[in-house]
Amino acid sequence: MRKIVEFLGTAPFLEGGAEADLVELAQVMRRRTVREGEILWRQGDEAREMLFIAEGGVSVSLHLPGDRVVQMATVDPGEIVGEIALLDGGPNTMSVEATEATTVLALGRADFAALLARPHPWSFALKRRLASLVTSRLRSHLLYLAGSLGDEIGGSPAEEVARTFAELEYCSPPNSKYIQRLATFNAFDPVALWGFLTSGRYARCPSGRTLIAEGAPSTACYLTINGAVEKVLIRGDRRIRVGLAGPGKAFGYESLIDGRPSPVTAITRERALLLVLPRDPFEQLFNGEDAISRVFLDVIQRDVVATLRQTLRPLARQASARPVSPAPPAAPLQPATGAG
Amino acid sequence: MCRVLAYLGEPLPVRNLLFDPDNSLVRQSYSPRMMNTFLNLAGFGMLAWDPTSLEPADPFTYRTTTLPSYDRNLRYLASKLAPTCLVAHVRGVTYSDEAVVTDTNLHPFQFPGARVVLAHNGHLRQFSRMRFALVEHVRPELARGIEGTTDSEWIYALILSQLDDPFGVPETSELAEATTNALRILRSVRAAHGIDTSSPANLCLSTGRAVVFTRFSFDYGWYPPEDEMLETDLPFVSLWYAIGGEYTRRNGDWSMTAGDPPRSLIIASEPLTTDHSTWLEVPEYTLLTAELTPAGLEFDTRDLDV
């Protein structure tokens, strides 16, 4: 037990955890050793656990139509794998195989949920860290997709984004009953939800306007209330749509989470009613530790996970036209976490 | 809400699509995995083209309002038929006394003498307000053929009316253009009547040698506050496809084998297996076309901007 606690204390994902928290966590984790070549789970399997790699290493592979397999990442000691499927309750996104004799510590679905649900500053920190980790993974997949298009970033320049932002038509909040019936929100406490939904301003935007430009910082995070916003990668006259933000879906948050340029361009496909959260209210919500911030972090977390899953679909189409593994080196995956 | 399936390619037993996979079309009638609040119990229909049959240009036709999962005749037929093209549909209707469950409302639609057929997943909101404004866009000989009460049959008549010869076999490109034109007409009629609620129109058209499919919604994401369909439309008007060599069972699992050039294509509202890894999702605002040629299957997807 002592060695497990010491290991957990070195895992980047758990940074900031108190000794007592790590001991409690160690008590619910299961230690397991697997042989080289052993499959820990297959893509599409029901997700039961996430893994901390204690010793050895695993590879993460994406199975594609046409009997193709692409190795997407290797996961080394101290890193985690399998958190995506636990976050959204979906099946494992990729297959995981031991590349050598490997020791893992498994954290089950219920214990993972409990770890994040506590009204404790460390739980908020873990939620923020997960949002950052999944954003990092999303960026890697988007970079890979963009690499398949070649050329330089195309489409609308940052000036058009500034013009769109300046021309937003601000309006009163929408009917609260409508918002609460959206699948994104109907499980949240109504008071905390409304606290989040009144943290920004509402605005109407015509179709065909660029709200976010790839390669430029976001001016705001947006939440679509009505209408639809396309998230696209544009290279010359070619584009890949990597997401469609309909009612209850957010966009523009990646840049505000990690301070890097936006990984996608966002253009209104339909006229839209949007909740606009500029940088300051976004950071207050993201870094807060109250019920309103919990709602906000959950909304962002669900969205980035859903967007990541969606990027795997066009990725499959792109990659299916390419030779089998490994994935091209132009898009190195972030080392801190693995999918699953 | 409904579920629709089209197949184009190598001869394939119908049961491999309707019954055998773990999320087959018939299973989607009583246990759809991507529709939490609706079932599709208002009838089944299929049209199947078999080049070795009598009058191969005419599809084998089967429609019934009984539940397909308990339909022994359908199960027996599905074991004997191996078409190169199939369009099948399980119909879902709102739980309302206004819904009409009857033979004449069953998809796929095929007017007598017509070579193009249509099945639809979706619904045009407030259709009763715009129905008669469509008359001027529909050829009289086709308008007279409308027997049922659905928006889908009107869409069918509207698309046929955009063809040079509504009773001929159009080129795939002409059928795609007619479909796009019909959607433009619907958009303008909706606008003229002030109808701006989200209305999905996932359309499947086929000639037996080609299919044209849309994943499209008018005014995507716009709903009135008390709208009863809000939770239903958003995630559930989905469309997926699997393309490759042949659809077969290996090691107990159904999947599409690799094929270059491709020889077989399945397009369906939901993947036919719980394992989605051999399926790709068709994005919203997409027009998909496929055609059987001597060299294989020609396949294309493009953005649908109407």
Side-chain angles (χ1 to χ4, degrees), chain A residues 43 63-67 175 177-178 181-182 204 225-228 230 241 244 246-247 269-273 313 316-317, chain B residues 196 217 219-223 225-228 230-231 234 240-241 250 258 277-278 280-281 283-285 301 303-305:
Chain A
Q43 179 179 331
H63 292 251
L64 302 170
D67 300 329
N175 186 303
K177 288 182 182 173
Y178 166 78
R181 289 181 58 215
L182 290 173
R204 298 182 185 280
I225 304 299
N226 288 114
E230 285 186 316
R241 189 202 297 150
L244 186 70
R269 178 76 191 221
E270 305 276 351
R271 64 197 161 89
L273 173 61
R313 295 173 188 161
R317 185 163 56 186
Chain B
D196 59 3
S217 183
D219 295 293
Y220 184 98
W222 282 93
Y223 297 88
E226 305 289 343
D227 193 88
E228 65 179 16
L230 174 62
E231 295 93 338
L234 283 172
W240 296 72
Y241 71 93
R250 289 180 301 177
S277 61
T278 59
L280 297 171
E281 186 169 12
E284 194 71 34
Y285 305 108
T301 63
D303 189 78
L304 179 57
D305 187 6

Short mmCIF file of all heavy atoms in Angstrom, two decimals, chain A residues 43 63-67 175 177-178 181-182 204 225-228 230 241 244 246-247 269-273 313 316-317, chain B residues 196 217 219-223 225-228 230-231 234 240-241 250 258 277-278 280-281 283-285 301 303-305:
data_model
loop_
_atom_site.label_atom_id
_atom_site.label_comp_id
_atom_site.label_asym_id
_atom_site.label_seq_id
_atom_site.Cartn_x
_atom_site.Cartn_y
_atom_site.Cartn_z
N GLN A 43 -11.33 -1.41 -28.48
CA GLN A 43 -12.17 -0.30 -28.91
C GLN A 43 -13.63 -0.78 -29.02
O GLN A 43 -13.91 -1.82 -29.60
CB GLN A 43 -11.69 0.19 -30.27
CG GLN A 43 -12.47 1.31 -30.88
CD GLN A 43 -11.87 1.73 -32.22
OE1 GLN A 43 -10.66 1.59 -32.42
NE2 GLN A 43 -12.69 2.23 -33.12
N HIS A 63 -8.99 1.45 -34.42
CA HIS A 63 -9.40 0.54 -35.49
C HIS A 63 -10.30 1.30 -36.45
O HIS A 63 -11.25 1.96 -36.03
CB HIS A 63 -10.14 -0.67 -34.91
CG HIS A 63 -9.24 -1.56 -34.11
ND1 HIS A 63 -8.84 -2.80 -34.54
CD2 HIS A 63 -8.62 -1.36 -32.93
CE1 HIS A 63 -8.03 -3.34 -33.65
NE2 HIS A 63 -7.87 -2.48 -32.66
N LEU A 64 -10.00 1.17 -37.73
CA LEU A 64 -10.69 1.96 -38.75
C LEU A 64 -11.43 1.05 -39.71
O LEU A 64 -11.12 -0.13 -39.83
CB LEU A 64 -9.67 2.80 -39.53
CG LEU A 64 -8.81 3.74 -38.70
CD1 LEU A 64 -7.70 4.32 -39.54
CD2 LEU A 64 -9.68 4.86 -38.14
N PRO A 65 -12.43 1.62 -40.40
CA PRO A 65 -13.09 0.84 -41.44
C PRO A 65 -12.07 0.31 -42.44
O PRO A 65 -11.07 0.97 -42.74
CB PRO A 65 -14.02 1.86 -42.09
CG PRO A 65 -14.30 2.86 -41.02
CD PRO A 65 -13.02 2.95 -40.24
N GLY A 66 -12.34 -0.89 -42.97
CA GLY A 66 -11.42 -1.48 -43.94
C GLY A 66 -10.30 -2.24 -43.28
O GLY A 66 -9.21 -2.36 -43.85
N ASP A 67 -10.54 -2.75 -42.08
CA ASP A 67 -9.57 -3.59 -41.37
C ASP A 67 -8.25 -2.88 -41.11
O ASP A 67 -7.19 -3.50 -41.11
CB ASP A 67 -9.29 -4.88 -42.17
CG ASP A 67 -10.53 -5.70 -42.38
OD1 ASP A 67 -11.41 -5.65 -41.51
OD2 ASP A 67 -10.63 -6.40 -43.41
N ASN A 175 -36.00 31.77 -22.80
CA ASN A 175 -36.89 31.12 -21.85
C ASN A 175 -36.13 30.04 -21.06
O ASN A 175 -35.52 29.15 -21.65
CB ASN A 175 -38.05 30.49 -22.64
CG ASN A 175 -39.11 29.91 -21.75
OD1 ASN A 175 -38.83 29.06 -20.92
ND2 ASN A 175 -40.33 30.38 -21.92
N LYS A 177 -37.21 27.59 -19.29
CA LYS A 177 -37.74 26.23 -19.43
C LYS A 177 -37.12 25.54 -20.64
O LYS A 177 -36.83 24.35 -20.61
CB LYS A 177 -39.26 26.27 -19.58
CG LYS A 177 -39.99 26.63 -18.30
CD LYS A 177 -41.50 26.61 -18.53
CE LYS A 177 -42.23 27.01 -17.27
NZ LYS A 177 -43.68 27.16 -17.52
N TYR A 178 -36.95 26.31 -21.69
CA TYR A 178 -36.35 25.74 -22.90
C TYR A 178 -34.93 25.24 -22.60
O TYR A 178 -34.57 24.10 -22.94
CB TYR A 178 -36.32 26.80 -24.01
CG TYR A 178 -35.42 26.44 -25.18
CD1 TYR A 178 -35.82 25.53 -26.14
CD2 TYR A 178 -34.15 27.01 -25.29
CE1 TYR A 178 -35.00 25.19 -27.19
CE2 TYR A 178 -33.32 26.68 -26.35
CZ TYR A 178 -33.74 25.77 -27.29
OH TYR A 178 -32.90 25.43 -28.33
N ARG A 181 -34.58 22.06 -20.61
CA ARG A 181 -34.98 20.82 -21.29
C ARG A 181 -33.91 20.31 -22.24
O ARG A 181 -34.00 19.18 -22.72
CB ARG A 181 -36.30 21.03 -22.03
CG ARG A 181 -37.48 21.17 -21.07
CD ARG A 181 -38.77 21.35 -21.83
NE ARG A 181 -39.01 20.24 -22.72
CZ ARG A 181 -39.60 20.35 -23.92
NH1 ARG A 181 -39.95 21.53 -24.35
NH2 ARG A 181 -39.80 19.30 -24.66
N LEU A 182 -32.91 21.14 -22.51
CA LEU A 182 -31.82 20.66 -23.36
C LEU A 182 -31.07 19.53 -22.64
O LEU A 182 -30.83 19.62 -21.43
CB LEU A 182 -30.85 21.79 -23.68
CG LEU A 182 -31.37 22.89 -24.62
CD1 LEU A 182 -30.36 24.03 -24.70
CD2 LEU A 182 -31.62 22.32 -26.00
N ARG A 204 -27.56 37.57 -30.70
CA ARG A 204 -27.98 36.95 -31.96
C ARG A 204 -26.88 37.16 -33.00
O ARG A 204 -26.23 38.20 -33.00
CB ARG A 204 -29.28 37.57 -32.46
CG ARG A 204 -30.45 37.38 -31.52
CD ARG A 204 -31.72 37.97 -32.09
NE ARG A 204 -32.80 37.89 -31.13
CZ ARG A 204 -33.52 36.79 -30.89
NH1 ARG A 204 -33.25 35.68 -31.58
NH2 ARG A 204 -34.48 36.79 -30.00
N ILE A 225 -27.46 28.44 -28.01
CA ILE A 225 -28.79 28.23 -27.44
C ILE A 225 -29.75 27.77 -28.55
O ILE A 225 -30.50 26.82 -28.38
CB ILE A 225 -29.32 29.53 -26.79
CG1 ILE A 225 -28.31 30.04 -25.74
CG2 ILE A 225 -30.69 29.29 -26.17
CD1 ILE A 225 -28.04 29.08 -24.60
N ASN A 226 -29.73 28.45 -29.66
CA ASN A 226 -30.49 28.05 -30.86
C ASN A 226 -29.59 28.18 -32.08
O ASN A 226 -28.68 29.01 -32.10
CB ASN A 226 -31.72 28.95 -31.06
CG ASN A 226 -32.80 28.71 -30.05
OD1 ASN A 226 -33.10 29.58 -29.22
ND2 ASN A 226 -33.41 27.54 -30.08
N GLY A 227 -29.89 27.38 -33.09
CA GLY A 227 -29.11 27.46 -34.32
C GLY A 227 -27.96 26.47 -34.32
O GLY A 227 -27.94 25.51 -33.55
N ALA A 228 -26.99 26.71 -35.19
CA ALA A 228 -25.87 25.78 -35.34
C ALA A 228 -24.62 26.53 -35.78
O ALA A 228 -24.69 27.44 -36.60
CB ALA A 228 -26.21 24.69 -36.36
N GLU A 230 -20.65 25.70 -37.10
CA GLU A 230 -19.72 24.68 -37.58
C GLU A 230 -18.33 24.95 -37.04
O GLU A 230 -17.86 26.09 -37.06
CB GLU A 230 -19.64 24.71 -39.11
CG GLU A 230 -20.82 24.11 -39.81
CD GLU A 230 -20.59 24.05 -41.30
OE1 GLU A 230 -20.09 25.04 -41.88
OE2 GLU A 230 -20.90 23.01 -41.88
N ARG A 241 -15.13 19.45 -41.52
CA ARG A 241 -15.94 19.88 -40.38
C ARG A 241 -15.68 18.91 -39.24
O ARG A 241 -15.88 17.70 -39.39
CB ARG A 241 -17.42 19.87 -40.71
CG ARG A 241 -18.21 20.54 -39.57
CD ARG A 241 -19.64 20.14 -39.54
NE ARG A 241 -20.32 20.56 -40.74
CZ ARG A 241 -21.35 19.90 -41.26
NH1 ARG A 241 -21.76 18.79 -40.72
NH2 ARG A 241 -21.94 20.35 -42.33
N LEU A 244 -20.28 20.19 -34.94
CA LEU A 244 -21.40 21.08 -35.18
C LEU A 244 -21.98 21.42 -33.82
O LEU A 244 -22.50 20.54 -33.12
CB LEU A 244 -22.46 20.41 -36.06
CG LEU A 244 -23.62 21.31 -36.49
CD1 LEU A 244 -23.14 22.36 -37.50
CD2 LEU A 244 -24.74 20.49 -37.11
N GLY A 246 -24.71 22.62 -31.97
CA GLY A 246 -26.14 22.94 -31.93
C GLY A 246 -26.53 23.34 -30.53
O GLY A 246 -25.66 23.61 -29.68
N PRO A 247 -27.82 23.40 -30.23
CA PRO A 247 -28.27 23.83 -28.91
C PRO A 247 -27.62 23.06 -27.77
O PRO A 247 -27.58 21.82 -27.78
CB PRO A 247 -29.78 23.57 -28.97
CG PRO A 247 -30.11 23.75 -30.42
CD PRO A 247 -28.95 23.17 -31.16
N ARG A 269 -23.53 28.32 -39.04
CA ARG A 269 -24.12 27.66 -40.22
C ARG A 269 -25.59 28.10 -40.37
O ARG A 269 -26.12 28.18 -41.46
CB ARG A 269 -24.04 26.15 -40.06
CG ARG A 269 -24.66 25.35 -41.20
CD ARG A 269 -23.77 25.36 -42.43
NE ARG A 269 -24.45 24.82 -43.59
CZ ARG A 269 -23.89 24.01 -44.48
NH1 ARG A 269 -22.63 23.62 -44.34
NH2 ARG A 269 -24.56 23.58 -45.53
N GLU A 270 -26.24 28.30 -39.24
CA GLU A 270 -27.59 28.86 -39.20
C GLU A 270 -27.52 30.16 -38.42
O GLU A 270 -26.55 30.41 -37.70
CB GLU A 270 -28.55 27.91 -38.48
CG GLU A 270 -28.61 26.49 -39.01
CD GLU A 270 -29.55 26.35 -40.19
OE1 GLU A 270 -30.29 27.32 -40.50
OE2 GLU A 270 -29.53 25.27 -40.82
N ARG A 271 -28.55 30.99 -38.53
CA ARG A 271 -28.65 32.11 -37.60
C ARG A 271 -28.62 31.51 -36.20
O ARG A 271 -29.10 30.37 -36.00
CB ARG A 271 -29.95 32.89 -37.83
CG ARG A 271 -31.17 32.08 -37.57
CD ARG A 271 -32.42 32.69 -38.18
NE ARG A 271 -33.46 31.67 -38.27
CZ ARG A 271 -34.34 31.42 -37.30
NH1 ARG A 271 -34.34 32.16 -36.21
NH2 ARG A 271 -35.22 30.44 -37.42
N ALA A 272 -28.06 32.21 -35.25
CA ALA A 272 -27.84 31.58 -33.94
C ALA A 272 -28.13 32.55 -32.80
O ALA A 272 -27.93 33.76 -32.93
CB ALA A 272 -26.41 31.07 -33.84
N LEU A 273 -28.61 31.98 -31.71
CA LEU A 273 -28.70 32.70 -30.44
C LEU A 273 -27.63 32.09 -29.54
O LEU A 273 -27.61 30.88 -29.33
CB LEU A 273 -30.08 32.53 -29.82
CG LEU A 273 -30.25 33.09 -28.40
CD1 LEU A 273 -30.00 34.60 -28.36
CD2 LEU A 273 -31.64 32.78 -27.85
N ARG A 313 -14.06 10.54 -35.79
CA ARG A 313 -14.82 10.04 -36.94
C ARG A 313 -14.24 10.55 -38.25
O ARG A 313 -13.91 9.74 -39.10
CB ARG A 313 -16.30 10.40 -36.79
CG ARG A 313 -16.92 9.70 -35.61
CD ARG A 313 -18.31 10.17 -35.36
NE ARG A 313 -18.82 9.62 -34.12
CZ ARG A 313 -19.84 10.11 -33.46
NH1 ARG A 313 -20.47 11.17 -33.91
NH2 ARG A 313 -20.24 9.56 -32.35
N ALA A 316 -11.03 8.98 -38.85
CA ALA A 316 -11.10 7.64 -39.42
C ALA A 316 -11.18 7.72 -40.93
O ALA A 316 -10.52 6.98 -41.65
CB ALA A 316 -12.31 6.91 -38.87
N ARG A 317 -11.97 8.67 -41.43
CA ARG A 317 -12.13 8.77 -42.88
C ARG A 317 -10.81 9.17 -43.53
O ARG A 317 -10.42 8.66 -44.55
CB ARG A 317 -13.21 9.79 -43.22
CG ARG A 317 -13.48 9.83 -44.69
CD ARG A 317 -14.77 10.50 -45.01
NE ARG A 317 -14.86 11.83 -44.46
CZ ARG A 317 -15.97 12.57 -44.52
NH1 ARG A 317 -17.04 12.09 -45.05
NH2 ARG A 317 -15.98 13.78 -44.03
N ASP B 196 -40.33 28.30 -39.01
CA ASP B 196 -38.88 28.34 -38.78
C ASP B 196 -38.44 27.41 -37.65
O ASP B 196 -37.42 27.64 -37.02
CB ASP B 196 -38.42 29.78 -38.51
CG ASP B 196 -39.11 30.39 -37.31
OD1 ASP B 196 -39.90 29.67 -36.65
OD2 ASP B 196 -38.86 31.57 -37.02
N SER B 217 -31.34 19.28 -42.08
CA SER B 217 -32.46 19.79 -41.29
C SER B 217 -32.67 21.25 -41.62
O SER B 217 -31.71 22.03 -41.62
CB SER B 217 -32.17 19.61 -39.79
OG SER B 217 -33.27 20.03 -39.03
N ASP B 219 -33.57 24.90 -40.64
CA ASP B 219 -33.50 25.68 -39.39
C ASP B 219 -32.99 24.85 -38.22
O ASP B 219 -33.59 24.82 -37.13
CB ASP B 219 -34.88 26.28 -39.07
CG ASP B 219 -35.31 27.28 -40.13
OD1 ASP B 219 -34.67 28.34 -40.23
OD2 ASP B 219 -36.27 26.99 -40.87
N TYR B 220 -31.88 24.18 -38.47
CA TYR B 220 -31.30 23.31 -37.43
C TYR B 220 -31.16 24.07 -36.11
O TYR B 220 -30.64 25.18 -36.06
CB TYR B 220 -29.92 22.83 -37.89
CG TYR B 220 -29.26 21.85 -36.96
CD1 TYR B 220 -29.32 20.49 -37.22
CD2 TYR B 220 -28.60 22.28 -35.83
CE1 TYR B 220 -28.73 19.58 -36.37
CE2 TYR B 220 -28.00 21.36 -34.96
CZ TYR B 220 -28.07 20.02 -35.24
OH TYR B 220 -27.48 19.13 -34.39
N GLY B 221 -31.65 23.45 -35.04
CA GLY B 221 -31.42 24.01 -33.71
C GLY B 221 -32.38 25.09 -33.27
O GLY B 221 -32.14 25.72 -32.24
N TRP B 222 -33.47 25.28 -34.00
CA TRP B 222 -34.45 26.30 -33.60
C TRP B 222 -35.74 25.62 -33.17
O TRP B 222 -36.39 24.95 -33.97
CB TRP B 222 -34.70 27.30 -34.72
CG TRP B 222 -33.59 28.30 -34.82
CD1 TRP B 222 -32.49 28.21 -35.61
CD2 TRP B 222 -33.45 29.50 -34.06
NE1 TRP B 222 -31.67 29.30 -35.39
CE2 TRP B 222 -32.24 30.11 -34.45
CE3 TRP B 222 -34.24 30.14 -33.09
CZ2 TRP B 222 -31.79 31.30 -33.89
CZ3 TRP B 222 -33.80 31.33 -32.55
CH2 TRP B 222 -32.59 31.91 -32.94
N TYR B 223 -36.09 25.81 -31.91
CA TYR B 223 -37.27 25.19 -31.34
C TYR B 223 -38.02 26.21 -30.48
O TYR B 223 -37.38 27.00 -29.77
CB TYR B 223 -36.90 24.00 -30.44
CG TYR B 223 -36.22 22.89 -31.18
CD1 TYR B 223 -34.85 22.87 -31.34
CD2 TYR B 223 -36.96 21.85 -31.74
CE1 TYR B 223 -34.22 21.87 -32.05
CE2 TYR B 223 -36.34 20.84 -32.44
CZ TYR B 223 -34.97 20.85 -32.59
OH TYR B 223 -34.34 19.85 -33.29
N PRO B 225 -40.00 27.29 -27.08
CA PRO B 225 -39.65 26.87 -25.71
C PRO B 225 -40.36 25.61 -25.24
O PRO B 225 -39.77 24.79 -24.56
CB PRO B 225 -40.07 28.08 -24.87
CG PRO B 225 -39.99 29.24 -25.80
CD PRO B 225 -40.38 28.71 -27.15
N GLU B 226 -41.63 25.44 -25.59
CA GLU B 226 -42.37 24.29 -25.07
C GLU B 226 -42.39 23.13 -26.05
O GLU B 226 -43.22 22.23 -25.93
CB GLU B 226 -43.82 24.72 -24.78
CG GLU B 226 -43.95 25.91 -23.84
CD GLU B 226 -43.57 25.57 -22.42
OE1 GLU B 226 -43.52 24.36 -22.10
OE2 GLU B 226 -43.30 26.49 -21.63
N ASP B 227 -41.49 23.11 -26.99
CA ASP B 227 -41.56 22.13 -28.06
C ASP B 227 -41.39 20.70 -27.56
O ASP B 227 -40.44 20.39 -26.85
CB ASP B 227 -40.48 22.42 -29.11
CG ASP B 227 -40.72 21.65 -30.38
OD1 ASP B 227 -41.43 22.16 -31.23
OD2 ASP B 227 -40.20 20.52 -30.48
N GLU B 228 -42.33 19.84 -27.95
CA GLU B 228 -42.29 18.47 -27.45
C GLU B 228 -41.23 17.61 -28.14
O GLU B 228 -40.87 16.54 -27.65
CB GLU B 228 -43.66 17.81 -27.63
CG GLU B 228 -44.07 17.65 -29.09
CD GLU B 228 -45.43 16.97 -29.25
OE1 GLU B 228 -46.17 16.92 -28.26
OE2 GLU B 228 -45.72 16.52 -30.35
N LEU B 230 -38.13 18.59 -28.83
CA LEU B 230 -36.79 19.14 -28.62
C LEU B 230 -35.76 18.05 -28.36
O LEU B 230 -34.72 17.98 -29.01
CB LEU B 230 -36.84 20.13 -27.45
CG LEU B 230 -35.50 20.70 -26.99
CD1 LEU B 230 -34.85 21.48 -28.11
CD2 LEU B 230 -35.72 21.60 -25.78
N GLU B 231 -36.04 17.21 -27.38
CA GLU B 231 -35.05 16.20 -27.01
C GLU B 231 -34.93 15.10 -28.07
O GLU B 231 -33.98 14.34 -28.09
CB GLU B 231 -35.39 15.56 -25.66
CG GLU B 231 -35.34 16.52 -24.49
CD GLU B 231 -36.70 17.13 -24.20
OE1 GLU B 231 -37.55 17.14 -25.11
OE2 GLU B 231 -36.90 17.61 -23.08
N LEU B 234 -32.67 16.50 -31.75
CA LEU B 234 -31.27 16.93 -31.78
C LEU B 234 -30.29 15.79 -31.97
O LEU B 234 -29.51 15.81 -32.91
CB LEU B 234 -30.96 17.72 -30.51
CG LEU B 234 -31.49 19.16 -30.55
CD1 LEU B 234 -31.32 19.83 -29.20
CD2 LEU B 234 -30.78 19.96 -31.61
N TRP B 240 -25.45 7.03 -40.76
CA TRP B 240 -24.14 6.40 -40.77
C TRP B 240 -23.98 5.58 -42.05
O TRP B 240 -24.97 5.21 -42.68
CB TRP B 240 -24.01 5.45 -39.56
CG TRP B 240 -24.06 6.12 -38.24
CD1 TRP B 240 -25.16 6.67 -37.64
CD2 TRP B 240 -22.98 6.32 -37.33
NE1 TRP B 240 -24.82 7.19 -36.42
CE2 TRP B 240 -23.50 7.00 -36.20
CE3 TRP B 240 -21.62 5.99 -37.36
CZ2 TRP B 240 -22.70 7.35 -35.11
CZ3 TRP B 240 -20.83 6.34 -36.27
CH2 TRP B 240 -21.36 7.02 -35.17
N TYR B 241 -22.73 5.28 -42.39
CA TYR B 241 -22.52 4.38 -43.52
C TYR B 241 -21.31 3.49 -43.30
O TYR B 241 -20.40 3.84 -42.53
CB TYR B 241 -22.40 5.15 -44.84
CG TYR B 241 -21.14 5.95 -45.03
CD1 TYR B 241 -20.02 5.41 -45.68
CD2 TYR B 241 -21.05 7.26 -44.59
CE1 TYR B 241 -18.87 6.15 -45.88
CE2 TYR B 241 -19.91 8.01 -44.77
CZ TYR B 241 -18.81 7.45 -45.42
OH TYR B 241 -17.68 8.19 -45.60
N ARG B 250 -17.66 -12.33 -39.41
CA ARG B 250 -16.36 -12.93 -39.14
C ARG B 250 -16.17 -13.00 -37.64
O ARG B 250 -16.35 -12.01 -36.95
CB ARG B 250 -15.24 -12.11 -39.77
CG ARG B 250 -15.20 -12.19 -41.28
CD ARG B 250 -14.07 -11.38 -41.83
NE ARG B 250 -14.20 -9.97 -41.44
CZ ARG B 250 -13.31 -9.04 -41.73
NH1 ARG B 250 -12.23 -9.35 -42.39
NH2 ARG B 250 -13.51 -7.79 -41.35
N ALA B 258 -12.64 -4.85 -46.26
CA ALA B 258 -11.99 -3.84 -47.08
C ALA B 258 -12.28 -4.12 -48.56
O ALA B 258 -12.44 -5.27 -48.96
CB ALA B 258 -10.49 -3.84 -46.82
N SER B 277 -16.94 0.66 -35.06
CA SER B 277 -15.61 0.96 -35.59
C SER B 277 -15.51 0.80 -37.11
O SER B 277 -14.60 1.32 -37.71
CB SER B 277 -14.56 0.09 -34.89
OG SER B 277 -14.81 -1.28 -35.12
N THR B 278 -16.46 0.07 -37.72
CA THR B 278 -16.41 -0.04 -39.18
C THR B 278 -17.44 0.87 -39.84
O THR B 278 -17.71 0.74 -41.04
CB THR B 278 -16.65 -1.49 -39.63
OG1 THR B 278 -17.92 -1.93 -39.14
CG2 THR B 278 -15.56 -2.41 -39.10
N LEU B 280 -18.96 4.98 -40.40
CA LEU B 280 -18.64 6.40 -40.36
C LEU B 280 -19.93 7.19 -40.30
O LEU B 280 -20.91 6.84 -40.97
CB LEU B 280 -17.85 6.80 -41.61
CG LEU B 280 -16.49 6.13 -41.77
CD1 LEU B 280 -15.90 6.43 -43.13
CD2 LEU B 280 -15.55 6.60 -40.68
N GLU B 281 -19.93 8.27 -39.53
CA GLU B 281 -21.14 9.07 -39.43
C GLU B 281 -21.18 10.08 -40.59
O GLU B 281 -20.17 10.69 -40.93
CB GLU B 281 -21.18 9.82 -38.10
CG GLU B 281 -22.50 10.56 -37.93
CD GLU B 281 -22.72 11.09 -36.53
OE1 GLU B 281 -21.76 11.08 -35.74
OE2 GLU B 281 -23.85 11.52 -36.25
N PRO B 283 -22.07 13.60 -41.75
CA PRO B 283 -22.31 14.85 -41.03
C PRO B 283 -23.62 15.51 -41.47
O PRO B 283 -24.13 15.26 -42.56
CB PRO B 283 -21.12 15.72 -41.44
CG PRO B 283 -20.14 14.83 -42.07
CD PRO B 283 -20.90 13.68 -42.63
N GLU B 284 -24.15 16.37 -40.59
CA GLU B 284 -25.30 17.19 -40.95
C GLU B 284 -24.94 18.01 -42.19
O GLU B 284 -23.77 18.31 -42.43
CB GLU B 284 -25.63 18.10 -39.77
CG GLU B 284 -26.98 18.78 -39.84
CD GLU B 284 -28.14 17.82 -39.64
OE1 GLU B 284 -27.99 16.87 -38.86
OE2 GLU B 284 -29.19 18.05 -40.26
N TYR B 285 -25.93 18.38 -42.97
CA TYR B 285 -25.76 19.18 -44.20
C TYR B 285 -24.94 18.41 -45.25
O TYR B 285 -24.00 18.95 -45.83
CB TYR B 285 -25.05 20.51 -43.91
CG TYR B 285 -25.68 21.36 -42.85
CD1 TYR B 285 -25.09 21.51 -41.61
CD2 TYR B 285 -26.87 22.05 -43.10
CE1 TYR B 285 -25.66 22.31 -40.63
CE2 TYR B 285 -27.45 22.85 -42.12
CZ TYR B 285 -26.84 22.97 -40.89
OH TYR B 285 -27.39 23.75 -39.91
N THR B 301 -19.56 12.22 -51.34
CA THR B 301 -20.30 13.03 -50.36
C THR B 301 -19.94 14.48 -50.60
O THR B 301 -18.80 14.81 -50.95
CB THR B 301 -19.97 12.66 -48.90
OG1 THR B 301 -18.59 12.93 -48.67
CG2 THR B 301 -20.27 11.22 -48.61
N ASP B 303 -21.06 18.82 -49.38
CA ASP B 303 -21.83 19.70 -48.51
C ASP B 303 -23.15 20.06 -49.19
O ASP B 303 -23.18 20.31 -50.39
CB ASP B 303 -21.02 20.97 -48.23
CG ASP B 303 -21.66 21.83 -47.17
OD1 ASP B 303 -21.51 21.49 -45.99
OD2 ASP B 303 -22.31 22.83 -47.52
N LEU B 304 -24.20 20.04 -48.42
CA LEU B 304 -25.53 20.34 -48.95
C LEU B 304 -25.94 21.72 -48.46
O LEU B 304 -26.26 21.91 -47.28
CB LEU B 304 -26.53 19.27 -48.48
CG LEU B 304 -27.98 19.42 -48.93
CD1 LEU B 304 -28.08 19.46 -50.44
CD2 LEU B 304 -28.82 18.26 -48.39
N ASP B 305 -25.91 22.68 -49.35
CA ASP B 305 -26.22 24.06 -48.99
C ASP B 305 -27.45 24.49 -49.77
O ASP B 305 -27.36 24.81 -50.95
CB ASP B 305 -25.02 24.96 -49.30
CG ASP B 305 -25.24 26.37 -48.79
OD1 ASP B 305 -26.25 26.61 -48.11
OD2 ASP B 305 -24.39 27.23 -49.08
#
